[in-house]
């Protein structure tokens, strides 16, 4: 009798709260592990180009900085295989059905990577605009990738992710003529939902706009290192 | 003491199982309500073009059939506003953060729609390639939309959704030259993961490929009506 509907619903809410609290506590432990490096949690819809952006960014940064990558996916190690070709250390985490990475998975990944001397660790999350927003991994910040092919209404429809992003990469701008998309309207939508985010228009295919994104990343790496040096 | 880690984990698994069992039971009730109409649950990543496909399909079918739409989104009623312009009855459900519709939300939506005499009810799910796969809404079948812009690796990376789809609409084929995508490779990936699915190459923008998709839908409506007439 005590398992009535309201009671069950309350138990579900309590458990969801305890799952998030446990995750936040582990994320804080990860943050201590990450104190000497910049950690970027890359999020987006499936197919918006996170892995392609990573590939190009790694190739541009690898001579100047020590880099590592944690790849998250529901299934397959295809993305890790692509990243390996850049010569950067990478490990793959499969969530086995879960729609996001969590702090515990990241901790397991970290145990398999040599992070000594690493300046920048990228975490590529599962392709999903909803679930990863709620889970802190211990990163310095989230960066959301939004493809021009997804239309200009996504910030308003998936606000949680955009509100939590330090930067937004509007990718595939090489397709803007074919798509007849109004990038100014998209920027206005982004500013409305996430005024805190720095927005870069990029193409992982052509390299357009990468200079600004990479300069911003380099400045963030240096800020983190300045904190470390006190 | 009894709230140890394993115990908590087991409680979580039990609750997840009971959530799905409760959903399946409600889905079966919805299926009884839907016995006189075809119900299609449209799923995809954000921005793959579900709403655009719906708009064109409704305009093509509205003179021949009685239609209705349930729109699902995390936030906003933008999609319902778009559908209203076709003259078809539509209601919007906001999940308020949840990454998928469930059978209970659909039941609430059904209570607000006049479904008397309706031949075809479309349900547009939240843009998400992971979560909606686990939740039966009482539909006849799921149809997944996959945009050519998302690349050819999505069926392998998000297999649950593709394995459960009766049909896959490969949308935005008008961009195939700009994207330099190999549609044969994509079809091979789709066949590997979801051999049961009928695949249509379409463009909601130009109408390319819609004749086949609409013929297939019409045949399914007639099959359902034949069952109803016994």
């Amino acid at each position: 009798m005590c398992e009535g509907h309201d009671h069950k619903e309350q138990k579900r809410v309590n458990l969801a709260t305890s799952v998030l609290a446990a995750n936040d506590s582990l994320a804080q432990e990860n943050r201590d592990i990450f104190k000497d490096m910049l950690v970027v949690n890359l999020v987006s819809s499936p197919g918006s180009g996170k892995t392609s952006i990573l590939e190009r960014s790694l190739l541009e940064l690898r001579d100047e900085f020590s880099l590592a990558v944690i790849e998250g996916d529901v299934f397959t190690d295809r993305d890790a295989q692509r990243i390996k070709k850049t010569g950067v250390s990478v490990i793959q985490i499969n969530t086995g059905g879960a729609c996001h990475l969590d702090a515990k998975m990241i901790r397991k990944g970290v145990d398999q990577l040599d992070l000594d001397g690493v300046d920048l660790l990228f975490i590529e999350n599962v392709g999903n605009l909803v679930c990863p927003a709620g889970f802190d991994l211990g990163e310095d910040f989230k960066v959301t990738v939004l493809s021009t092919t997804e239309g200009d209404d996504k910030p308003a429809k998936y606000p949680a992710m955009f509100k939590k992003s330090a930067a937004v990469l509007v990718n595939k701008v090489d397709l803007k003529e074919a798509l007849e998309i109004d990038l100014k309207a998209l920027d206005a939508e982004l500013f409305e939902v996430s005024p805190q985010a720095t927005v870069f228009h990029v193409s992982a295919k052509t390299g357009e706009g990468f200079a600004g994104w990479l300069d911003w990343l380099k400045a963030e790496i240096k800020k983190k290192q300045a904190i470390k040096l006190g």
Side-chain angles (χ1 to χ4, degrees), chain A:
Chain A
M1 295 291 283
C2 65
E3 286 283 29
H5 182 263
D6 285 351
H7 186 68
K8 269 196 179 165
E9 198 64 32
Q10 188 55 48
K11 275 173 77 177
R12 265 171 220 154
V13 171
N14 291 349
L15 271 171
T17 309
S18 88
V19 166
L20 283 174
N23 184 76
D24 283 350
S25 160
L26 278 171
Q28 199 49 51
E29 289 180 31
N30 290 350
R31 200 161 269 118
D32 291 341
I33 296 170
F34 297 151
K35 68 184 190 306
D36 292 342
M37 69 198 75
L38 185 74
V39 181
V40 175
N41 179 2
L42 210 54
V43 294
S44 80
S45 300
S48 61
K50 286 187 299 307
T51 316
S52 300
I53 283 171
L54 256 184
E55 287 171 319
R56 188 177 276 271
S57 302
L58 297 172
L59 292 174
E60 297 274 351
L61 295 168
R62 66 182 179 182
D63 292 339
E64 197 174 343
F65 299 98
S66 174
L67 309 167
V69 176
I70 296 177
E71 274 294 338
D73 254 314
V74 182
F75 295 104
T76 86
D77 67 346
R78 292 186 180 201
D79 290 347
Q81 294 301 335
R82 287 171 59 184
I83 296 302
K84 256 184 201 154
K85 292 181 187 156
T86 66
V88 170
S89 297
V90 57
I91 65 118
Q92 177 80 48
I93 298 174
N94 282 139
T95 64
C99 52
H100 60 87
L101 291 169
D102 63 28
K104 192 176 175 182
M105 298 175 194
I106 294 301
R107 180 60 169 277
K108 278 191 191 162
V110 163
D111 289 343
Q112 298 167 54
L113 272 174
D114 178 9
L115 291 180
D116 199 35
V118 163
D119 303 302
L120 171 60
L121 170 66
F122 277 111
I123 300 171
E124 183 179 342
N125 219 311
V126 173
N128 199 303
L129 268 188
V130 182
C131 316
F135 286 80
D136 183 6
L137 307 178
E139 72 270 12
D140 288 286
F141 42 71
K142 290 181 173 67
V143 171
T144 299
V145 179
L146 176 65
S147 168
T148 53
T149 61
E150 296 170 43
D152 62 16
D153 58 353
K154 297 303 164 290
K157 289 173 77 175
Y158 303 89
M161 193 72 92
F162 289 94
K163 282 182 195 299
K164 290 192 176 176
S165 297
V168 174
L169 300 181
V170 177
N171 191 28
K172 308 192 192 179
V173 293
D174 55 293
L175 293 172
K176 62 177 182 274
E177 276 80 31
L179 294 166
E180 300 164 23
I181 189 171
D182 180 354
L183 287 178
K184 280 189 185 160
L186 176 55
D187 284 347
E189 289 267 351
L190 277 169
F191 186 75
E192 175 101 13
V193 175
S194 49
Q196 81 294 342
T198 307
V199 176
F200 300 99
H201 292 183
V202 302
S203 165
K205 190 173 177 183
T206 67
E208 181 181 345
F210 262 65
W213 152 242
L214 295 173
D215 283 348
W216 183 82
L217 264 184
K218 288 177 196 175
E220 293 297 331
I221 293 170
K222 279 165 191 165
K223 270 193 231 170
K224 185 86 185 244
Q225 289 178 338
I227 294 166
K228 167 185 155 190
L229 298 170

